[in-house]
Amino acid sequence: MGHVGIGLNLEAVRTSHKSFEWGVQFAAELGYEYIEPMVHWGRELLSEARYFHSVSMLDDPYRIRDEVEKHGLKLSALSSHSQASKPEIAVEYLKQAARFATEAGAPILNTHEGHKQPWTTMEEDFVLIRYSLMEALKVCERRGIKIGFEMHQTYSLKPDLYDKCLDLVDSPNLGANFDTGNAYLGGEDPHEWLERIKDRVIHIHAKDISIEQSDAERGKVMGTAVGCACGDGVVDWKRIVDICRSVPQDIVLSVECGTLDQAERSISHLKSIIRSDQRQVALT
């Protein structure tokens, strides 16, 4: 039985206009064990002015490593989303992210296939996605970095096609970054889907969906940026944790919510479930 950790995706601080360093300290003060920073190409104004949490891959990766270690945290992954169906974006982005992650100390890169282009067929898209993943994995494998492929867009929100994405490259370094909220909004039962592919899961975006968002968007959208606080929405987190505990690999629940108070409520809810499970195991 693997360890189930609790992390914070730094999207939680985006609407507060805070820096990466501020977000790391915030996560540590709330008691999170892991964080998932976002990285980007090049330079942009808000990050340089420290009003946005994303870190440029032109920066020294030790900026991330040192800040995380200073606060006693660990990296669960880098949010390095690029459109795998557009190799001109994804290939060099993910290769650079793999090199950056190696020095920063992140074991996983999270990405997805991206939006469908109007001039390609499905067959062509899968060739493009395979090309991007193959090129990136050649760099990842030598460095011990894994790619967590997330259900988010055109194909990956359908379980059978998601399996096809994961089967495009035969590599032990390709796995599933399971997003509970995206799976739900795509019209699937996230608990049943997670059970189906649990052996391939290497990271989880712990995203809950409010009743209001569910009523307005379920079956109509391709994923969502962030969810509500874990425990405030439709996801059964006790069931999610139980599934995670049934596999040998360690899995981090990286909370993907939109506000600071949601981040606080999320860790309180998830900790209560994990502690309750630990007490039950001790009693048996």
Side-chain angles (χ1 to χ4, degrees), residues 6-7 15 53 83 88 114 192 205 258:
I6 305 175
T15 56
H53 62 89
Q83 301 203 47
E88 73 276 17
E192 293 179 1
H205 276 171

Side-chain angles (χ1 to χ4, degrees), residues 9-266:
N9 183 300
L10 289 191
E11 279 288 83
V13 309
R14 169 163 53 93
T15 56
S16 299
H17 309 297
K18 300 296 186 180
S19 68
F20 164 75
E21 286 78 7
W22 191 96
V24 175
Q25 181 176 343
F26 171 73
E29 289 173 350
L30 288 183
Y32 280 94
E33 184 181 1
Y34 297 85
I35 63 161
E36 180 187 354
M38 178 190 293
V39 294
H40 63 269
W41 268 125
R43 299 293 185 183
E44 59 86 26
L45 175 61
L46 293 180
S47 293
E48 294 304 311
R50 301 296 194 257
Y51 297 134
F52 191 64
H53 62 89
S54 187
V55 174
S56 171
M57 288 189 287
L58 295 179
D59 282 358
D60 185 345
Y62 278 87
R63 175 187 171 193
I64 287 182
R65 180 189 285 268
D66 291 347
E67 195 68 23
V68 169
E69 290 180 350
K70 181 173 78 173
H71 291 283
L73 299 178
K74 292 172 280 189
L75 294 173
S76 67
L78 294 183
S79 179
S80 52
H81 286 275
S82 58
Q83 301 203 47
S85 60
K86 298 182 73 175
E88 73 276 17
I89 297 175
V91 171
E92 294 305 323
Y93 184 98
L94 288 172
K95 286 163 64 176
Q96 174 63 11
R99 293 188 288 264
F100 192 89
T102 302
E103 292 196 16
I108 295 169
L109 307 176
N110 288 325
T111 191
H112 65 286
E113 81 274 31
H115 292 283
K116 171 101 178 74
Q117 303 305 313
W119 56 86
T120 57
T121 65
M122 179 186 293
E123 182 179 359
E124 290 168 339
D125 286 335
F126 277 102
V127 172
L128 295 171
I129 295 167
R130 181 175 183 271
Y131 180 86
S132 295
L133 291 176
M134 179 69 79
E135 286 292 310
L137 283 162
K138 287 179 180 179
V139 178
C140 287
E141 287 174 351
R142 296 191 65 183
R143 291 162 174 80
I145 304 296
K146 294 185 178 182
I147 290 180
F149 198 85
E150 182 177 337
M151 61 277 294
H152 209 315
Q153 296 292 341
T154 308
Y155 303 116
S156 56
L157 286 170
K158 302 172 179 65
D160 288 343
L161 292 179
Y162 184 62
D163 288 346
K164 184 173 180 178
C165 291
L166 294 178
D167 290 337
L168 286 173
V169 181
D170 182 14
S171 171
N173 290 60
L174 178 62
N177 177 44
F178 192 92
D179 189 302
T180 53
N182 290 349
Y184 177 85
L185 286 177
E188 303 297 326
D189 183 317
H191 316 90
E192 293 179 1
W193 193 354
L194 178 59
E195 179 68 41
R196 167 179 165 169
I197 65 163
K198 62 185 181 182
D199 293 330
R200 307 186 77 169
V201 173
I202 58 175
H203 192 266
I204 288 181
H205 276 171
K207 183 187 292 177
D208 214 337
I209 302 298
S210 69
I211 298 298
E212 294 78 13
Q213 186 176 7
S214 173
D215 291 343
E217 296 184 352
R218 193 177 192 202
K220 303 174 186 177
V221 299
M222 292 188 294
T224 189
V226 291
C228 63
C230 295
D232 286 359
V234 298
V235 177
D236 182 346
W237 292 105
K238 172 67 165 63
R239 190 173 172 188
I240 295 294
V241 169
D242 286 346
I243 296 170
C244 291
R245 288 191 180 280
S246 70
V247 297
Q249 68 266 27
D250 293 345
I251 295 177
V252 174
L253 302 174
S254 184
V255 172
E256 212 173 37
C257 59
T259 65
L260 304 182
D261 64 306
Q262 289 175 355
E264 184 173 3
R265 293 204 305 278
S266 292

